[in-house]
């Protein structure tokens, strides 16, 4: 009897996985529950102290950041974003998608992060600052007790101009690295994949950044950039697919979020877990944040990855256990999406292997849904998002539909808005109008 039931469960599981896989390769939306997930699992490979060290380093740099980027004056040189309640948008979505969500929805507004208007202002800027500090300490130009605002000088700019920073990007990482590196005085090469938006390239060129445009996708751009870095002297390659420093910079967000939740008297415990929805490209940003949050909240936080139906690289890597050895193209998935921040065909093996058992699950979304959510977020909450960032907002409804949330549990949902504030108004307007049109069409049907 028992054996029979077990087999039935097994068969159900196999069928479910087949359906998900069928949807993945046909570029249809799907929801994925990670079977390997261990909610209270420990991640041994990285010591949380390293995240705390990263936070201290950012504090050392705060006087410099405060001096050279006036948009950070309000926060004294700390690059941080608001956490806001978006229950007004929640009510709209509940009506529109005909689905009730238990628990409040908050938005982490990294779309408004100072300096580069996206989540990359965490990891990207952190890694450049760490390298800048390393070089200056090595040459006895500063020590950790100094006021780092002295880095804003001709002497330091001349010093850093002897070094070359190289990075590949679908857009936003290039923006972050390019802006901070050129401010410090570094020479910067940004290799852009074909998805990268024109305005991002133009903005960087205006700052004197050397922008190299590629015909190929992101994985190709990284490959070429890595080769260039290997060949040149005094160059430093920021490796989006493997960088621990990027990862640690992103992870600092967890310490900041912990304070924001406390400040708002939001309790996180067994009966009130935190559910976090993170748009995912190569995996560094959502991975770092997941690592940080798991270290802070343990089994009471559950993180979900969000990807476009045309580029589900990380989920595919986690599902198959193949990580960096898979590419969506191998499965006939074209990788083409308007969510340029998520247009990645090959996931980070470093992040995938590290968090294999720490990611709760994920889902994919069609591009047209991104535009609708982008419009709703502006109508209801006055947010300016780019398409990639809108992907997280539907997360709470997706999980509710799947009956993921058990009875008597009242979670707090956090949708991570990963980018948008720097999108030029005319371009953003077009996104918004596209979203509005799609919403109107739905109502007629
Ligand atoms: C880069 C990016 C992400 C995802 O970060 P990864 O480290 O590539 O996974 C999400 N949203 C936006 C807007 C981004 O630019």
């Amino acid at each position: 009897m028992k054996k029979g039931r077990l087999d039935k469960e097994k068969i159900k599981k196999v069928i479910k996985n087949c359906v998900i896989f069928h949807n993945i390769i046909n570029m249809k939306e799907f929801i994925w529950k990670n079977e390997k997930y261990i909610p209270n699992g420990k991640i041994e490979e990285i010591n949380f102290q390293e995240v705390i060290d990263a936070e201290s380093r950012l504090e050392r740099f705060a006087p410099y950041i405060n001096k050279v980027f006036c948009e950070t004056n309000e926060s004294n040189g700390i690059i941080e974003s608001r956490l806001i309640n978006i229950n007004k948008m929640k009510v709209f979505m509940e009506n529109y998608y005909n689905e009730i969500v238990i628990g409040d929805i908050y938005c982490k507004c990294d779309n408004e992060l100072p300096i580069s208007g996206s989540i990359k202002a965490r990891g990207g800027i952190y890694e450049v600052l760490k390298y800048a500090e390393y070089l200056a300490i090595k040459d006895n130009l500063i020590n950790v007790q100094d006021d780092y605002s002295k880095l804003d000088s001709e002497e330091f700019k001349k010093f850093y101009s002897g070094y070359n920073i190289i990075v590949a990007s679908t857009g936003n990482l290039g923006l972050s690295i390019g802006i901070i590196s050129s401010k410090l005085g570094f020479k910067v090469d940004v290799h852009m994949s074909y998805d990268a938006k024109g305005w991002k390239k133009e903005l960087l060129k205006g700052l004197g950044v050397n922008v190299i445009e590629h015909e190929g996708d992101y994985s190709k751009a990284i490959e070429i950039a890595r080769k260039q870095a290997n060949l040149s002297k005094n160059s430093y390659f920021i490796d989006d697919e493997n960088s621990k420093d990027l990862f640690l910079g992103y992870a600092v967000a967890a310490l900041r979020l912990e304070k924001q939740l406390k400040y708002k008297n939001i309790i996180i415990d067994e009966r009130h877990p935190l559910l976090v929805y993170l748009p995912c490209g190569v995996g560094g940003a959502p991975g770092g944040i997941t690592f940080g949050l798991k270290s802070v909240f343990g089994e009471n936080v559950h993180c979900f990855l969000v990807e476009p139906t045309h580029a589900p690289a990380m989920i595919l890597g986690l599902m198959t256990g193949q990580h960096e050895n898979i590419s969506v193209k191998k499965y006939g998935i074209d990788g083409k999406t308007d969510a340029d921040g998520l247009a990645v065909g090959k996931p980070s093996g470093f992040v995938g292997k590290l968090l294999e058992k720490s990611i709760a699950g994920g889902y994919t979304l069609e591009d047209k849904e991104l535009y609708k959510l982008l419009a709703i977020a502006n109508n209801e909450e006055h947010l300016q998002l780019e398409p990639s960032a809108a992907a997280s907002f539907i997360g709470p409804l997706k999980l509710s539909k799947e009956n993921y949330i058990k009875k008597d549990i009242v979670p707090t949902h956090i949708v991570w808005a990963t980018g948008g504030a720097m999108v030029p108004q005319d371009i953003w307007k077009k996104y918004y109008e596209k979203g509005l049109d799609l919403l109107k069409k739905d109502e007629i049907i």
Side-chain angles (χ1 to χ4, degrees):
M1 187 68 186
K2 197 170 173 212
K3 191 164 178 282
R5 232 190 25 236
L6 263 180
D7 283 346
K8 234 191 221 165
E9 282 304 310
K10 235 187 197 166
I11 290 166
K12 255 204 228 152
K13 228 180 217 173
V14 170
I15 291 174
K16 195 156 183 214
N17 280 340
C18 282
V19 171
I20 290 180
F21 212 72
H22 180 264
N23 286 342
I24 292 184
I25 55 179
N26 286 296
M27 294 176 268
K28 293 216 170 78
E29 290 187 4
F30 68 91
I31 300 178
W32 169 68
K33 210 168 162 174
N34 184 7
E35 282 167 19
K36 296 182 196 138
Y37 182 46
I38 304 173
N40 62 356
K42 289 268 174 297
I43 302 158
E44 307 285 355
E45 293 85 347
I46 293 184
N47 189 333
F48 189 59
Q49 184 57 41
E50 294 187 68
V51 181
I52 295 168
D53 292 346
E55 191 191 33
S56 308
R57 181 166 291 111
L58 288 168
E59 274 161 19
R60 287 200 289 281
F61 272 97
Y64 169 75
I65 297 289
N66 190 35
K67 187 168 174 207
V68 298
F69 296 105
C70 60
E71 66 264 41
T72 66
N73 290 166
E74 233 176 278
S75 57
N76 293 319
I78 296 294
I79 305 161
E80 198 39 73
S81 72
R82 304 183 291 159
L83 176 72
I84 59 164
N85 181 299
I86 56 160
N87 278 349
K88 191 160 172 267
M89 177 164 174
K90 173 188 160 179
V91 171
F92 184 94
M93 289 194 292
E94 284 179 326
N95 288 326
Y96 186 76
Y97 295 100
N98 198 18
E99 189 65 52
I100 297 289
V101 174
I102 308 290
D104 293 331
I105 307 184
Y106 287 81
C107 173
K108 183 67 178 139
C109 300
D110 277 7
N111 58 314
E112 298 168 359
L113 272 182
I115 303 175
S116 68
S118 85
I119 196 164
K120 305 293 194 305
R122 298 186 183 279
I125 290 176
Y126 173 72
E127 180 155 358
V128 174
L129 295 179
K130 185 175 174 195
Y131 180 56
E133 185 185 56
Y134 159 79
L135 290 174
I137 288 178
K138 188 167 68 96
D139 278 29
N140 285 321
L141 298 173
I142 52 168
N143 68 64
V144 292
Q145 268 84 39
D146 282 348
D147 177 347
Y148 282 16
S149 63
K150 74 183 209 190
L151 266 64
D152 180 34
S153 67
E154 282 316 308
E155 182 205 344
F156 273 97
K157 280 185 189 154
K158 192 158 173 272
F159 171 65
Y160 288 128
S161 71
Y163 297 89
N164 187 190
I165 290 187
I166 301 169
V167 68
S169 173
T170 62
N172 286 338
L173 186 62
L175 270 188
S176 280
I177 305 278
I179 293 171
I180 186 68
S181 305
S182 59
K183 187 65 99 180
L184 281 158
F186 283 110
K187 279 202 296 241
V188 209
D189 293 333
V190 176
H191 293 258
M192 290 284 203
S193 60
Y194 73 90
D195 330 81
K197 303 280 185 234
W199 67 267
K200 294 181 184 174
K201 296 180 200 166
E202 292 315 311
L203 195 156
L204 285 175
K205 286 179 194 165
L207 294 173
V209 171
N210 182 25
V211 176
I212 302 126
E213 297 176 48
H214 292 279
E215 299 280 315
D217 68 4
Y218 188 45
S219 322
K220 266 268 141 37
I222 293 194
E223 213 179 290
I224 295 167
R226 194 181 282 123
K227 269 192 198 137
Q228 185 210 335
N230 279 337
L231 291 174
S232 47
K233 243 185 88 193
N234 280 354
S235 74
Y236 180 81
F237 178 52
I238 295 187
D239 190 342
D240 198 17
E241 289 179 331
N242 298 294
S243 166
K244 188 171 163 188
D245 287 327
L246 276 179
F247 186 88
L248 292 170
Y250 291 125
V252 170
L255 296 169
R256 311 265 179 81
L257 184 65
E258 184 187 22
K259 282 191 198 124
Q260 289 178 319
L261 288 166
K262 259 195 197 133
Y263 184 75
K264 288 188 185 297
N265 290 320
I266 299 168
I267 291 166
I268 307 301
D269 61 22
E270 214 179 318
R271 302 245 341 261
H272 309 90
L274 192 60
L275 306 185
V276 186
Y277 309 89
L278 298 153
C280 179
V282 77
I289 290 171
T290 298
F291 173 74
L293 289 174
K294 277 288 176 193
S295 308
V296 173
F297 296 109
E299 61 189 324
N300 296 328
V301 64
H302 307 284
C303 298
F304 299 86
L305 303 177
V306 191
E307 298 190 293
T309 47
H310 285 246
M314 184 49 101
I315 296 179
L316 206 49
L318 287 166
M319 267 184 86
T320 57
Q322 294 289 309
H323 304 300
E324 78 276 22
N325 297 319
I326 69 117
S327 121
V328 296
K329 295 229 165 81
K330 263 192 204 161
Y331 292 86
I333 302 168
D334 60 16
K336 294 213 166 80
T337 168
D338 290 350
D340 53 329
L342 317 180
V344 172
K346 191 179 111 175
S348 158
F350 159 63
V351 173
K353 285 169 204 159
L354 195 68
L355 296 178
E356 211 162 30
K357 300 184 179 105
S358 304
I359 298 286
Y363 63 88
T364 58
L365 213 57
E366 280 184 27
D367 277 14
K368 73 173 180 7
E369 296 301 321
L370 302 179
Y371 287 108
K372 287 192 217 167
L373 292 162
L374 181 150
I376 299 170
N378 188 261
N379 286 347
E380 303 302 312
E381 307 286 351
H382 310 292
L383 293 169
Q384 179 172 316
L385 306 175
E386 58 183 271
S388 301
S392 57
F393 285 69
I394 195 124
L397 292 101
K398 288 262 184 199
L399 290 203
S400 302
K401 210 177 199 106
E402 284 285 290
N403 294 322
Y404 185 92
I405 300 149
K406 294 197 186 91
K407 244 182 124 177
D408 299 328
I409 297 285
V410 183
T412 295
H413 306 267
I414 294 185
V415 301
W416 216 283
T418 47
M422 281 181 86
V423 180
Q425 280 311 303
D426 53 329
I427 294 171
W428 185 81
K429 245 327 211 307
K430 283 196 186 117
Y431 293 159
Y432 175 71
E433 273 154 18
K434 194 167 175 179
L436 275 191
D437 277 350
L438 287 163
L439 287 171
K440 276 184 203 142
K441 262 188 211 142
D442 274 6
E443 253 157 23
I444 294 165
I445 296 163

